[in-house]
Amino acid sequence: MEPKQSYKENNYPYYHQVIGNDISNTWHDAAQKELGGDWRMPTKEEWHELLFSTEHEWVSIHDRQGYLFTAKNGSRLFFPANGYAYDQNVGTPDEGYYWTSTFSNIDNAYVTYLPSNSWGISYYDRYIGIGIRAVKMN
């Protein structure tokens, strides 16, 4: 939950440990732990629905680059380019990366990636420093 000086497998306490197939709304859910209540991490399926059922475009809002998603009902969400952290290196800030709560295997979880020229879902090592966009269930 706290920022680290370095994001590596040797300082991630759950590396090579099974903690479930999906951590949304569990003790391991960082959004739930930080915000409480009905807040939680979105699942891979929820990210998939957002990516494939909305219009989206790369925009700049208040000098921040990122993707703006617009639903058919006109609701909009902005996801700023936030980069990622691996070891002591920070990835390019002109790309957005957001964790899903869904694991692909014991060491990896699915990530939504949003570079300026494309978007999709892939999986990354769970120890990498990647942003979380919390969702709230009604």
Side-chain angles (χ1 to χ4, degrees):
M1 293 271 301
E2 299 298 323
K4 300 176 185 176
Q5 293 294 319
S6 175
Y7 290 83
K8 296 168 58 169
E9 55 273 354
N10 66 358
N11 67 2
Y12 176 62
Y14 302 108
Y15 196 60
H16 293 312
Q17 289 187 25
V18 176
I19 59 174
N21 293 327
D22 194 301
I23 62 170
S24 186
N25 208 26
T26 71
W27 185 85
H28 295 286
D29 183 331
Q32 212 306 301
K33 286 179 81 169
E34 184 70 19
L35 300 172
D38 294 329
W39 289 99
R40 62 176 178 77
M41 292 175 66
T43 65
K44 176 186 173 197
E45 290 75 24
E46 289 167 328
W47 271 108
H48 188 274
E49 181 181 352
L50 177 70
L51 292 173
F52 290 97
S53 66
T54 61
E55 296 292 322
H56 40 278
E57 63 180 321
W58 185 259
V59 299
S60 179
I61 296 177
H62 303 294
D63 296 324
R64 287 293 311 256
Q65 300 266 326
Y67 264 101
L68 180 65
F69 290 85
T70 305
K72 291 177 181 151
N73 68 3
S75 296
R76 299 185 308 168
L77 290 171
F78 178 66
F79 292 87
N82 59 354
Y84 63 91
Y86 169 70
D87 195 0
Q88 295 179 345
N89 302 311
V90 175
T92 58
D94 61 341
E95 299 177 332
Y97 294 88
Y98 294 92
W99 283 118
T100 78
S101 61
T102 310
F103 292 2
S104 63
N105 62 45
I106 192 169
D107 295 330
N108 300 293
Y110 289 101
V111 171
T112 299
Y113 62 92
L114 304 168
S116 61
N117 61 351
S118 67
W119 48 266
I121 297 176
S122 188
Y123 57 88
Y124 288 71
D125 288 313
R126 293 188 345 234
Y127 58 82
I128 296 175
I130 293 178
I132 294 172
R133 178 66 184 251
V135 296
K136 186 174 184 179
M137 300 309 295
N138 296 328

